[in-house]
């Protein structure tokens, strides 16, 4: 877990540092390759080489870490703040509301993650917030199912029945007792969802449904690199793929540690 946190902290620092260095013109903007040779191999001038537009692969890959963390943060946060309240209400109130929500969430849950995210991304269009919403819809059912199942079990405990018999309101019971008990497994699910979201975002970018090309994103970079790979131009694919792999590994380490 400590290893995962250390690696993740490096990504966080890079995500804040790169835009500052670009704004201060200490390093060139990774979006523009003016004057740079195209498909230049790694060298002193360009540590990770350049892509088909002459853009520095190293700067673009580092800048992509901030984009990935931003999209994943929004997506998982939206899923948490929507899925947990719905799960609490469904598990505590029951009845028609519970049956309707379970039907909707189970329907979403049966659709493969990538397929559902592709459909949502296609409907919403390309962009950071649109990609976040597309990923959010994928993970809401997971939080709903976990929280609802735990709420259904905990609400039958004697101390909760005693609180209700003494006149405690549903809001007070949920806030005082249920919320604390059902949130124990959420941090683990959150980190594993974050790791999965990095891969799904990369898949959307690879399919051309993620972010606009002017925004540095590892999946879209791999999409452009795959054409040049058979010709021996390996560096445009290696570094974005490696950055994605290490970030997913770090998040998985954290989830396993928790």
């Amino acid at each position: 877990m400590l290893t995962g946190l250390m690696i993740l902290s490096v990504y966080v620092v890079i995500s804040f540092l790169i835009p500052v260095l670009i704004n201060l013109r200490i390093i060139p903007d990774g979006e523009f390759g003016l004057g740079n040779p195209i498909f230049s191999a790694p060298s002193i001038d360009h540590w990770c080489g350049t892509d088909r537009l002459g853009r520095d692969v190293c700067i673009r890959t580092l800048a992509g870490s901030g984009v990935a963390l931003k999209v994943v943060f929004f997506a998982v946060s939206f899923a948490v703040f929507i899925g947990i309240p719905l799960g609490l209400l469904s598990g505590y109130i029951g009845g028609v509301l519970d049956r309707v929500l379970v039907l909707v969430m189970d329907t979403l849950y049966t659709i493969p993650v990538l397929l559902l995210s592709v459909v949502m991304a296609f409907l919403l269009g390309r962009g950071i917030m649109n990609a976040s919403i597309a990923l959010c819809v994928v993970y809401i059912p997971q939080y709903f199912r976990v929280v609802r199942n735990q709420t259904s079990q905990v609400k039958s405990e004697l101390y909760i029945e005693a609180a209700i018999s003494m006149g405690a309101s549903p809001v007070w019971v949920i806030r005082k007792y249920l919320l604390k008990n059902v949130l124990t497994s959420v941090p683990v699910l959150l980190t594993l969802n974050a790791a999965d979201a990095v891969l799904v975002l990369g898949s959307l970018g690879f399919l051309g449904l993620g972010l606009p090309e002017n925004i540095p994103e590892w999946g879209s970079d791999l999409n452009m690199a795959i054409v040049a790979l058979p010709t021996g131009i390996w560096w445009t694919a290696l570094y974005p793929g490696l950055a994605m792999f290490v970030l997913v590994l770090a998040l998985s380490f954290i989830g396993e540690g928790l």
Side-chain angles (χ1 to χ4, degrees), residues 101-145:
L101 287 175
V102 168
L103 177 62
V104 172
M105 295 299 172
D106 283 354
T107 302
L108 292 175
Y109 194 74
T110 57
I111 303 175
V113 170
L114 182 57
L115 178 60
L116 181 58
S117 60
V118 166
V119 172
M120 292 301 302
F122 181 79
L123 293 175
L124 295 172
R126 303 173 74 177
I128 289 181
M129 290 307 299
N130 290 344
S132 301
I133 295 173
L135 294 177
C136 161
V137 174
V138 170
Y139 299 116
I140 287 175
Q142 298 186 27
Y143 293 97
F144 171 84
R145 288 161 62 94

Side-chain angles (χ1 to χ4, degrees), residues 140-215:
I140 287 175
Q142 298 186 27
Y143 293 97
F144 171 84
R145 288 161 62 94
V146 169
V147 172
R148 175 194 172 273
N149 292 340
Q150 292 185 346
T151 301
S152 300
Q153 297 174 2
V154 174
K155 75 174 184 179
S156 61
E157 295 289 342
L158 292 178
Y159 63 89
I160 292 182
E161 293 182 356
I164 295 174
S165 66
M166 295 173 64
S169 65
V171 175
W172 191 88
V173 172
I174 291 175
R175 180 173 58 84
K176 183 69 175 178
Y177 293 121
L178 294 178
L179 190 60
K180 294 179 180 179
N181 286 282
V182 303
L183 290 182
T184 54
S185 60
V186 168
V188 178
L189 186 60
L190 188 148
T191 53
L192 296 179
N193 282 160
D196 186 64
V198 174
L199 294 176
V200 176
L201 176 63
S203 300
L204 291 177
F206 187 79
L207 296 173
L209 296 171
L211 305 178
E213 189 174 322
N214 64 322
I215 298 178

